[in-house]
Amino acid sequence: MNAVVDVSNVCWSPEIGPRSKRPLLSRLDQVTEAWRDRYGAGAELVLVVDRALRHQISGEQRADFDRRCRQGLLRVVPFADPVLLSLARERDLQIVSQDRFVDLRRQFRWIETQPERFHGWRRDGNGLCFVSSGIVPVSGQVKSRAEEDKDLAVRGLKDHKDVLRSVWRCVARCFMAQVWPEGLLLWPGLDRRTGEPVCPDPRCGRPLVRVRDRRPSRELLVERLDLDEDRAALLRFPLEADGCLEIGRGALTHGINLDGIGREHSDAVARVSRRHLLIEADAALTVSVRDVGSSHGTAVRRWEGHALGRPRPLEPGEPVRLGSSDQVVLADSVAVRLSGRRYSPDVVPPALGGGGGARTVLR
Ligand SMILES: [Zn+2]
């Protein structure tokens, strides 16, 4: 039986032994050996590893790690999870990992329908045996939180969430400072060395000045419709309670300009009007949208329990409430939706189940 192995997950598993809080390559050898004992010496094992593991293992193991890479025994990628799930799907491989992949279940829907393909491990006498890794279906909200948590980690904000609880402005002379003198409408960037918020304008990046506490907020996500789900996200931004903003393609003081998000997206957003969509949140963070007279129109797709329904075009000015999984489509090319995350400056973040008790997310 052929399989793809989540190498970082294996190397970090203290259950395999020997006892150590550091990741160990020897654990990988124990797992591959046990798999071939159990499923045949000819079983093909594809070993996918996060690039970060090289820096997490002890110095003595690094030469061994590099040798395995040179020999093509390890496949090193920036983020292993989506790669190993894609490989598993394309080549019909089993998956050796204790990870529950909650943040990727929307992207890889077969995870929940084929839990028997996921193998964890347990010590058994002197050896290892393979057991179900315990994948069970979770709600959409749990998936969203896991996705957002992963996104924060990728952006370096996971340990600096306090940055997200304030509104910031840039006092340099950059484009964003001029468009939003009262506070940035996008999330700030983060200086990974100091943990300080910096201007998200790619040509600026200077330290920001705090304006005030952010009111309870929801996060919105803008996505391209012409790309796969994992590459589609264009930007995320907060919307405060009792707040409103516009999305379009112009320098909008009270809005977000999709023209400013990079030349590689300019064709995709070309049909969005200069003033296209107004998004409003009431005091309870119920979000509604309306088309403000766009040329190519706006449609809403309601979530119908298992999939998005057909797009329903909106009349100009017609307000519609946006449900947590609904999608607003601008000019048939760009979608806006609520992300799973809510922010509140004074709510203690609850623990997220299923991924270890220490992990917390904002809501
Ligand atoms: Zn700036």
Side-chain angles (χ1 to χ4, degrees):
M1 202 153 65
N2 300 334
V4 57
V5 180
D6 185 352
V7 173
S8 299
N9 189 265
V10 167
C11 291
W12 277 102
S13 170
E15 245 176 304
I16 298 172
R19 277 174 192 279
S20 161
K21 284 187 176 161
R22 298 288 294 268
L24 298 171
L25 286 172
S26 62
R27 291 174 180 154
L28 174 64
D29 299 330
Q30 293 182 66
V31 163
T32 55
E33 209 170 291
W35 186 271
R36 291 196 169 112
D37 279 350
R38 172 78 179 77
Y39 295 111
E44 183 199 6
L45 290 170
V46 183
L47 311 180
V48 183
V49 59
D50 291 303
R51 188 178 293 154
L53 187 71
R54 185 175 186 277
H55 305 286
Q56 294 159 342
I57 54 178
S58 62
E60 309 90 79
Q61 298 179 82
R62 212 155 287 149
D64 185 15
F65 183 92
D66 291 341
R67 178 188 59 78
R68 293 177 193 227
C69 293
R70 277 198 309 276
Q71 294 176 348
L73 300 173
L74 290 179
R75 179 160 172 183
V76 186
V77 295
F79 300 105
D81 292 357
V83 173
L84 63 92
L85 290 168
S86 298
L87 278 170
R89 181 175 52 188
E90 285 159 22
R91 298 174 51 188
D92 200 22
L93 302 171
Q94 305 291 306
I95 299 95
V96 180
S97 176
Q98 313 255 48
D99 197 322
R100 308 275 160 85
F101 302 107
V102 176
D103 58 308
L104 290 165
R105 295 214 193 161
R106 254 196 271 262
Q107 197 180 326
F108 298 93
R109 291 177 192 276
W110 55 270
I111 295 174
E112 290 190 355
T113 56
Q114 301 175 20
E116 69 283 357
R117 289 174 67 181
F118 292 80
H119 305 263
W121 48 83
R122 171 155 71 66
R123 277 228 78 83
D124 180 24
N126 287 328
L128 285 175
C129 66
F130 293 95
V131 293
S132 157
S133 80
I135 286 184
V136 290
V138 295
S139 74
Q141 204 174 19
V142 170
K143 286 174 202 162
S144 291
R145 291 212 192 124
E147 287 163 10
E148 307 305 344
D149 205 38
K150 180 64 81 66
D151 174 68
L152 281 184
V154 169
R155 289 191 289 160
L157 283 163
K158 197 170 152 88
D159 301 320
H160 301 281
K161 290 172 185 165
D162 49 324
V163 166
L164 307 180
R165 294 197 178 103
S166 297
V167 175
W168 303 88
R169 68 191 173 97
C170 180
V171 291
R173 291 187 172 186
C174 74
F175 179 75
M176 290 192 188
Q178 290 174 45
V179 181
W180 296 319
E182 286 157 25
L184 299 171
L185 294 186
L186 292 181
W187 292 121
L190 191 83
D191 182 319
R192 285 178 186 245
R193 274 181 313 116
T194 63
E196 297 298 319
V198 293
C199 182
D201 187 325
R203 283 170 302 239
C204 178
R206 292 188 181 81
L208 297 174
V209 175
R210 187 177 178 281
V211 179
R212 58 175 171 81
D213 279 349
R214 187 180 295 289
R215 296 195 297 274
S217 303
R218 292 220 57 172
E219 187 185 64
L220 286 111
L221 188 62
V222 183
E223 295 169 315
R224 285 174 64 162
L225 290 175
D226 60 336
L227 294 180
D228 295 342
E229 212 171 336
D230 50 330
R231 294 185 301 141
L234 288 177
L235 77 162
R236 295 166 179 274
F237 58 88
L239 176 65
E240 290 180 291
D242 279 326
C244 69
L245 54 78
E246 267 186 31
I247 291 187
R249 285 195 312 117
L252 298 158
T253 304
H254 294 289
I256 299 220
N257 172 12
L258 296 184
D259 252 352
I261 56 178
R263 204 164 291 163
E264 69 275 27
H265 302 301
S266 54
D267 286 347
V269 303
R271 282 161 52 83
V272 174
S273 295
R274 284 183 64 76
R275 296 188 58 200
H276 199 119
L277 188 75
L278 176 68
I279 310 177
E280 295 168 284
D282 67 13
L285 279 174
T286 302
V287 174
S288 59
V289 297
R290 67 185 79 195
D291 183 297
V292 286
S294 69
S295 309
H296 295 291
T298 300
V300 166
R301 299 183 70 189
R302 297 284 183 205
W303 181 254
E304 293 174 349
H306 57 284
L308 285 165
R310 298 177 66 84
R312 181 179 76 79
L314 295 185
E315 297 295 330
E318 176 194 352
V320 274
R321 185 178 161 170
L322 194 59
S324 55
S325 299
D326 297 342
Q327 198 181 52
V328 190
V329 178
L330 314 189
D332 296 324
S333 54
V334 173
V336 179
R337 65 176 173 87
L338 289 164
S339 90
R341 201 154 56 193
R342 289 164 180 267
Y343 295 86
S344 173
D346 32 57
V347 170
V348 178
L352 175 77
R359 237 157 39 125
T360 55
V361 287
L362 289 166
R363 43 177 326 177

